[in-house]
Amino acid sequence: MVTGDAAYIKRINRSIIIQEIVKEGLISRADLSKATALTRATISAQVADLLEEGLIVEQQLEYNSVGRKPIMLSLDGSAGYALGIDLDFGKITFTLSNLLGIPISSNTIEINTTAYSETLPILIDQIKNYIVEWKDNRYGIVGIVIAIHGLVSKDEIIHYVPRFDWNDINLKNDLEKEIGIDIYIENNANLCAFAERVFVHHSTDNLLCATLYSGIGLGMMRNNDFFRGHNGYAGEAGHMIVVPEGKQCECGNKGCWEKYASEASVFKQLSEDRKIKNMTYEHIQKWLDEGDEDIHDKMEQFIYYLSIGLNNMINLYNPDVLVLDSEFLRMYPNSIHKIRENLHSSISHYQELLISSIGDKACSLGACALAIKHFLDVPILNLNFENQALQDEF
């Protein structure tokens, strides 16, 4: 039996109530009581506190029937803002969202350094600018989450970032000493998986999201939380060996999955073959439209090796939903059908296999959503990616 003092129980009830308000968007006190199984007196007291704090707002719906117009409750999205930062090789993307996860702005700056001593001041300056710009709102910046394209331990130490050559960096501590706001450090693939769960796949508690851009990362959501492994390094599926004694990988092994089934590996091979230094998706799309046989062969090979790794992931984790985040798969006709055809093992079981509808926004949206989750102190969020304002602003 779970027990606790009155303050603890009040906090739990508050979390339940906020989570339900966010989930429903608009809800009355009576319906909130039914949905949470909390008494009307508890609902009234908690709602009064949340209204006084400026975290929720009331509004009356148009009501044509006889009787009192229902008063609905909703989270005040403009009460505060979350800052999601995607720290990637050569660039840093800053995305600001309101408390409903709707992006307000997104800005990418190029960086010409991988040195930590030079990157840290850039982050501090940019973050301080956001804090000053939004300080006049009720809660200002409520939290900051930074996505790292590498290994992040359970205590949020950056263990290793291959393309930066960073080892055992305490970015969280260094920033919080300068900023004075809660900072959270998370692996980028985990944040992509979190975005898929929070914005799209509300009904699943067992989701895998494979990101296929600069390498291959695997974000795993199980029971509404990240599956991290012992130290926090679970999900480095890109370094699973799929071709024994194959291509040399930066990790030290040969034949790693991401050397064959990441977009970076395809770009690298095509750049060498075609003598084009700065190859883009537009190049690939043009060649596909022209029916270039070599490009089609490269895409078929990409899908073939991708399917090998996915078969392993499915058999290992038996996911409900498996989301693939790849621009190549969005470009190449019938790519999901081709992958499914390769997954013909009789012991492979999953419910859904699909290409991400969020796309390359997933990492920064997931970062914003995680900051909101921490601020609201709720077990999970159900936000709406289909909100037209979100799509228009981002």
Side-chain angles (χ1 to χ4, degrees), residues 299-307 332 335 338-339 342:
M299 287 296 176
E300 291 291 332
Q301 188 179 56
F302 169 73
I303 285 174
Y304 169 74
Y305 283 113
L306 177 59
S307 301
Y332 194 55
S335 56
K338 291 174 184 290
I339 293 170
N342 288 330

Side-chain angles (χ1 to χ4, degrees), residues 92-112:
I92 309 175
T93 299
F94 298 83
T95 299
L96 189 79
S97 82
N98 68 12
L99 294 185
L100 296 173
I102 298 174
I104 304 302
S105 67
S106 186
N107 179 46
T108 299
I109 62 172
E110 293 185 359
I111 54 173
N112 299 313

Side-chain angles (χ1 to χ4, degrees), residues 57-117:
V57 292
E58 293 180 315
Q59 68 180 86
Q60 284 191 330
L61 294 182
E62 290 299 324
Y63 192 63
N64 297 324
S65 301
V66 176
R68 205 165 143 189
K69 292 181 180 179
I71 297 176
M72 309 299 284
L73 306 170
S74 64
L75 186 73
D76 185 356
S78 62
Y81 296 88
L83 183 60
I85 302 174
D86 185 2
L87 177 56
D88 202 354
F89 182 76
K91 62 181 181 179
I92 309 175
T93 299
F94 298 83
T95 299
L96 189 79
S97 82
N98 68 12
L99 294 185
L100 296 173
I102 298 174
I104 304 302
S105 67
S106 186
N107 179 46
T108 299
I109 62 172
E110 293 185 359
I111 54 173
N112 299 313
T113 181
T114 59
Y116 181 69
S117 60

Side-chain angles (χ1 to χ4, degrees), residues 76-226:
D76 185 356
S78 62
Y81 296 88
L83 183 60
I85 302 174
D86 185 2
L87 177 56
D88 202 354
F89 182 76
K91 62 181 181 179
I92 309 175
T93 299
F94 298 83
T95 299
L96 189 79
S97 82
N98 68 12
L99 294 185
L100 296 173
I102 298 174
I104 304 302
S105 67
S106 186
N107 179 46
T108 299
I109 62 172
E110 293 185 359
I111 54 173
N112 299 313
T113 181
T114 59
Y116 181 69
S117 60
E118 296 175 4
T119 305
L120 179 61
I122 295 172
L123 288 169
I124 291 171
D125 288 345
Q126 292 292 323
I127 291 170
K128 284 183 175 179
N129 288 339
Y130 277 98
I131 292 172
V132 169
E133 184 176 356
W134 297 93
K135 66 181 176 61
D136 292 334
N137 293 81
R138 186 175 184 92
Y139 290 98
I141 303 294
V142 301
I144 299 164
V145 173
I146 302 178
I148 301 297
H149 294 244
L151 299 178
V152 178
S153 68
K154 286 183 177 179
D155 55 4
E156 299 178 75
I157 303 295
I158 300 172
H159 177 62
Y160 180 52
V161 182
R163 302 186 76 184
F164 285 69
D165 197 27
W166 288 1
N167 291 276
D168 299 322
I169 299 292
N170 196 341
L171 176 61
K172 175 184 175 73
N173 182 65
D174 291 343
L175 284 176
E176 286 183 341
K177 284 191 298 186
E178 294 287 337
I179 302 301
I181 288 180
D182 288 339
I183 305 286
Y184 302 94
I185 310 295
E186 188 55 78
N187 171 265
N188 69 301
N190 279 348
L191 291 172
C192 290
F194 189 67
E196 295 290 342
R197 168 59 185 83
V198 166
F199 288 100
V200 182
H201 302 282
H202 295 165
S203 61
T204 184
D205 60 1
N206 193 335
L207 179 146
L208 301 183
C209 178
T211 59
L212 309 176
Y213 297 108
S214 58
I216 297 181
L218 189 72
M220 297 180 280
M221 295 293 298
R222 298 175 69 84
N223 299 321
N224 292 331
D225 201 358
F226 297 119

